[in-house]
Amino acid sequence: MLKRQNPSTPEHSKDLAAHGGAPSMSHNDSRSFFNLSQLVLSAGQIKPSPALKHSKITYFEVEIVDVQSKKQICIVDKVPPASTLLDVKHKFHKACPQWYPSRVGLQLERNGPFLKDSVSIQSLAVSSIVTLYFTDLGQQVGWTTFFLTEYTGPLLIYLLFYIRLSTIYDQAESRKNFRHPVVHLACFCHCLHYIRHLLETLFVHKFSEGHTPLKNMIKGCAFYWGFTSWIAYYINHPRYTPPSFGHKQVSYAALAFLMCEAGNHFINVALAHQTNSGNRTCFPSPTYNPFTWLFLLVSCPNYTYEAGSWISFTVMTQTLPVGIFAFLMVIQMSLWAQKKHKLYLKRFYPEVRRKAAMIPIIF
């Protein structure tokens, strides 16, 4: 006898599916579906993904303390991490209008160096409160104003002595004595020197937005203006005597002076071009211009040419005031050159280590 087949067997389901029928759900399938439903219900209601919240910005509080009395002057609050020290100075100026930003000196420690305006607050912060020590730097002037004032004075003062004002020299004696050609040449060279400085200050040099105390400008003006008055008085005096070796001494010295002035200008242009191009990763290299070849021997050729100008001017005029001024200038520029040379050694050691600071061959 043939056994009746169970319609719920797999073969029966396949037949129904083949003829387009829908198979009925088996007991195991319904149990699996029930377990899945219980799992979903036990997991709770499906929550939507939370929206991304912006992270809160941590603000800093900058406490300004007087460096002498250690008393708190004010607190600059809500300072963003990206703020610089210059931003803090501007906010400090709003709280204390008597101290404008260029007059404010801030230190991280009482005996520490003054911090630069470009320093970020985040780099100084150890906690949410930053303590800075305040020093009043006094009245300040910009670097452009500083140099323009310092160089304009000698230019005008020398011309006043050159025209021989009646309040300076005796007019009767001035008319009798003939002026030696070196007097006119000295006036031309002296004016050329300071006109070059003024033009380079306006169009070549790129000064930072920093400032310097007014007392420094007064000291610089007193030095340059005072020596110019002394030099101009002797050279333009009616009793001035020409150099001992005459025309030959004057000609060679004047030629050396003009070459040093040209070299100084081309070196300053090369340094300014390097700064403007942003290429500070390598030491300035000589170009086709022969005046820049001094870079092969010294690291500060602009000071070398400046010293050469005043030494040449001393030989050309053969006066004691010019010699004393040239001697002091050589000492001052050698100190500046040594300071810059140390910075160059740290930044461009392989290229600068065999160079002198200002005077060739002397290491």
Side-chain angles (χ1 to χ4, degrees):
M1 294 180 62
L2 295 175
K3 294 183 180 180
R4 181 182 295 180
Q5 293 183 353
N6 190 354
S8 60
T9 58
E11 289 80 1
H12 182 70
S13 300
K14 289 180 181 180
D15 293 339
L16 290 175
H19 290 83
S24 61
M25 183 178 293
S26 66
H27 178 70
N28 293 333
D29 294 336
S30 61
R31 187 171 182 179
S32 300
F33 179 79
F34 176 78
N35 292 337
L36 179 63
S37 302
Q38 289 295 109
L39 180 64
V40 172
L41 292 175
S42 64
Q45 187 177 2
I46 299 177
K47 297 181 180 179
S49 58
L52 294 176
K53 296 182 179 180
H54 295 286
S55 59
K56 294 182 179 179
I57 300 176
T58 303
Y59 291 97
F60 294 100
E61 290 185 356
V62 180
E63 180 187 21
I64 309 294
V65 180
D66 186 79
V67 71
Q68 298 294 336
S69 62
K70 299 182 182 179
K71 294 182 179 180
Q72 183 189 95
I73 300 176
C74 74
I75 293 181
V76 181
D77 57 354
K78 293 185 178 180
V79 179
S83 297
T84 61
L85 206 65
L86 183 61
D87 300 328
V88 175
K89 288 183 178 181
H90 282 292
K91 292 185 177 182
F92 178 59
H93 174 58
K94 291 181 179 180
C96 304
Q98 67 270 28
W99 291 307
Y100 49 90
S102 62
R103 188 168 183 162
V104 176
L106 297 177
Q107 303 161 276
L108 196 58
E109 300 175 355
R110 290 189 65 195
N111 298 324
F114 290 110
L115 300 172
K116 295 183 179 180
D117 291 345
S118 58
V119 175
S120 64
I121 295 298
Q122 192 172 14
S123 63
L124 303 175
V126 180
S127 63
S128 60
I129 300 177
V130 182
T131 302
L132 298 177
Y133 293 93
F134 161 76
T135 300
D136 184 7
L137 300 178
Q139 192 170 356
Q140 305 286 301
V141 293
W143 284 110
T144 303
T145 304
F146 176 88
F147 287 112
L148 289 179
T149 306
E150 193 175 67
Y151 296 143
T152 303
L155 179 63
L156 300 178
I157 290 173
Y158 196 97
L159 292 175
L160 292 177
F161 283 90
Y162 176 73
I163 62 178
R164 291 183 177 178
L165 295 176
S166 58
T167 55
I168 302 175
Y169 304 111
D170 181 70
Q171 288 296 315
E173 191 176 20
S174 299
R175 294 191 188 98
K176 292 179 182 178
N177 293 346
F178 170 75
R179 292 197 190 191
H180 194 274
V182 69
V183 177
H184 304 291
L185 182 60
C187 180
F188 169 78
C189 292
H190 191 275
C191 293
L192 176 67
H193 177 78
Y194 284 102
I195 289 174
R196 178 185 63 80
H197 273 303
L198 291 172
L199 293 177
E200 288 178 353
T201 301
L202 293 174
F203 304 108
V204 177
H205 297 301
K206 300 297 181 182
F207 301 104
S208 61
E209 296 181 357
H211 298 76
T212 184
L214 179 62
K215 61 182 180 181
N216 289 348
M217 189 179 75
I218 295 175
K219 290 179 183 178
C221 290
F223 177 78
Y224 280 97
W225 296 15
F227 263 103
T228 300
S229 302
W230 192 22
I231 291 170
Y233 177 80
Y234 272 85
I235 296 178
N236 296 286
H237 198 280
R239 298 183 182 180
Y240 168 75
T241 54
S244 303
F245 296 96
H247 179 72
K248 185 177 294 186
Q249 178 179 344
V250 173
S251 300
Y252 286 137
L255 180 61
F257 177 86
L258 295 176
M259 291 180 64
C260 289
E261 287 295 303
N264 202 340
H265 172 71
F266 287 120
I267 293 296
N268 290 330
V269 170
L271 293 174
H273 177 72
Q274 183 196 29
T275 303
N276 293 339
S277 61
N279 185 15
R280 298 187 180 184
T281 58
C282 59
F283 187 76
S285 57
T287 62
Y288 63 88
N289 189 339
F291 289 104
T292 62
W293 295 351
L294 201 56
F295 273 123
L296 297 172
L297 301 176
V298 297
S299 59
C300 303
N302 51 331
Y303 294 141
T304 307
Y305 282 123
E306 184 78 9
S309 295
W310 286 113
I311 293 174
S312 303
F313 195 76
T314 304
V315 175
M316 182 178 64
T317 57
Q318 195 175 316
T319 53
L320 180 63
V322 182
I324 296 176
F325 180 74
F327 176 74
L328 295 177
M329 288 294 291
V330 170
I331 293 177
Q332 180 62 71
M333 285 183 290
S334 64
L335 295 176
W336 290 340
Q338 289 292 338
K339 186 177 180 180
K340 278 193 174 182
H341 187 69
K342 291 180 180 179
L343 296 176
Y344 287 151
L345 283 175
K346 294 179 181 179
R347 190 179 301 176
F348 316 110
Y349 175 73
E351 302 171 81
V352 184
R353 65 188 180 94
R354 294 187 179 275
K355 300 179 189 294
M358 188 182 82
I359 304 175
I361 303 174
I362 299 179
F363 291 86

